[in-house]
Amino acid sequence: MPPIPRVRGSRQLDLHLGLRVRARRKEAGLSLEALATDLGIAYQQVQKYETGANRISASTLYEIARALRTPVTYFYAGLPSAGEHSVGFSAAARIDAVLATPGGRELVDAYLSMPRQLRQPFVALARGVANDDSLPETPQAIRLPTWR
């Protein structure tokens, strides 16, 4: 996975922390508004933290960790150690990114609940949709096994 480019001047660390905040907030079942109220800030500010548009100060990250009942270290999981160079997000960080997107948790739940013989064709279908501009041809290119 190539490094994520800067978005409006945000650095990769800001994006990573934001994705981790969003993933943990959703896992805790909190809305933007609920977390913002607990932190005493506007929900738009939480939204900016989650997208990496605004950097999260150390004290704010501590307060977010308290509100989400998780250690501060949770937000740094998946980053390379200081001094290491990274070519992109780790597998754990990519999973958090999926879980933080709309429909991400449902996608993971659906994948885990489908019969094992359908998982690989499902992944192939997803890759085909992601990489192929000719979407009408994608279903014919992937043979889904029959079940039931």
Side-chain angles (χ1 to χ4, degrees):
M1 176 178 225
I4 293 188
R6 292 177 177 246
V7 177
R8 293 188 196 165
S10 295
R11 295 178 308 161
Q12 188 170 352
L13 176 59
D14 301 319
L15 293 169
H16 176 83
L17 292 175
L19 287 172
R20 297 286 290 177
V21 168
R22 181 181 294 153
R24 181 65 186 117
R25 175 181 61 78
K26 288 184 175 237
E27 184 179 311
L30 289 177
S31 67
L32 280 169
E33 293 83 3
L35 179 57
T37 299
D38 193 348
L39 297 173
I41 59 177
Y43 81 91
Q44 293 94 335
Q45 184 62 43
V46 175
Q47 195 172 38
K48 288 178 181 181
Y49 289 149
E50 290 185 356
T51 61
N54 286 5
R55 290 186 177 161
I56 306 172
S57 70
S59 58
T60 300
L61 189 61
Y62 179 85
E63 290 301 317
I64 291 170
R66 179 200 49 77
L68 297 176
R69 295 187 174 106
T70 194
V72 172
T73 54
Y74 166 86
F75 301 107
Y76 292 96
L79 287 173
S81 299
E84 289 181 28
H85 295 288
S86 173
V87 294
F89 285 130
S90 69
R94 289 192 311 269
I95 290 167
D96 286 336
V98 169
L99 293 174
T101 60
R105 184 166 303 280
E106 292 85 356
L107 180 66
V108 171
D109 289 343
Y111 176 83
L112 292 174
S113 65
M114 70 176 52
R116 286 196 177 276
Q117 70 268 23
L118 289 180
R119 289 182 181 173
Q120 208 50 41
F122 179 78
V123 171
L125 176 64
R127 282 191 183 125
V129 169
N131 298 323
D132 192 356
D133 292 334
S134 58
L135 291 180
E137 295 177 28
T138 302
Q140 289 82 20
I142 299 169
R143 303 248 183 248
L144 297 175
T146 58
W147 70 97
R148 295 185 195 198

